[in-house]
Amino acid sequence: MKGITKFLEKIGRGVGKVVGALYQAGRDSIDQVIKNILPFMAFISFVIGLILVTGVGDLLAKALQPLANNPIGLVIMSLIIGLPVLSPLLGPGAVIAQIIGTLLGTLFANKTLPVATALPALFAINPQVGCDFIPVGLALGEAEPETVEVGVPAVLFSRLITGPIAVIIAWLASFGL
């Protein structure tokens, strides 16, 4: 009888630990969402609305559209969009990439731009991807303030460097399309 009681007691404790760990994980998840993700989503919604309402996205897209004619222009476009000061502002919701992509898509459809530039153009309009989420990602990882101070600029500058490289690689890969 004591053996069965001890066995059931061990199972009860084990189940209690699992349930307790899952309950705490749920509490921690809700806490993270409330402290980090919801404020970020509100901020991004504001930035997207601001870009759409002011027409800055359309102006920037129309200004960058002529650069899509050749690989050098695409590299320049990538450098402009990947600027560490601009990329966190251009990244939210990929609004700028959507607008430029739509304009370029119509140019490809009208055969104004050669199809071979479609792949490099995709990489040229997207060097800002993820730059808006860096601070939130570091906060979710519970990074130290010093890590955030170094990490955010490091990723922004790395995107400035890797963006044009990606355009060049995409351009090389697009031969024969």
Side-chain angles (χ1 to χ4, degrees):
M1 197 60 139
K2 282 187 175 183
I4 294 174
T5 305
K6 283 187 176 184
F7 176 71
L8 291 175
E9 186 179 311
K10 284 183 181 181
I11 289 177
R13 284 185 186 161
V15 169
K17 284 182 182 180
V18 170
V19 169
L22 293 175
Y23 179 72
Q24 187 59 41
R27 289 180 64 190
D28 291 345
S29 297
I30 297 296
D31 189 46
Q32 285 284 2
V33 167
I34 291 170
K35 286 183 179 177
N36 296 314
I37 295 175
L38 289 178
F40 174 73
M41 290 173 67
F43 169 72
I44 294 305
S45 297
F46 169 74
V47 171
I48 290 171
L50 191 64
I51 289 170
L52 292 174
V53 168
T54 61
V56 170
D58 291 328
L59 289 171
L60 189 58
K62 288 178 183 167
L64 293 175
Q65 181 181 347
L67 295 173
N69 292 329
N70 59 63
I72 294 171
L74 290 170
V75 169
I76 292 169
M77 182 188 302
S78 174
L79 284 168
I80 292 169
I81 293 174
L83 285 172
V85 175
L86 286 179
S87 54
L89 300 174
L90 299 179
V95 174
I96 301 299
Q98 289 177 31
I99 294 169
I100 296 173
T102 302
L103 289 174
L104 293 179
T106 57
L107 294 176
F108 290 126
N110 294 336
K111 297 184 180 174
T112 307
L113 289 176
V115 176
T117 59
L119 184 61
L122 174 67
F123 284 94
I125 64 175
N126 283 313
Q128 85 291 349
V129 171
C131 291
D132 55 333
F133 194 73
I134 299 163
V136 174
L138 289 171
L140 288 173
E142 298 179 359
E144 298 291 326
E146 296 82 17
T147 305
V148 175
E149 283 179 24
V150 174
V152 172
V155 172
L156 294 177
F157 280 105
S158 72
R159 296 298 290 167
L160 178 66
I161 295 167
T162 59
I165 293 170
V167 171
I168 293 167
I169 292 171
W171 178 69
L172 293 172
S174 69
F175 284 132
L177 290 180

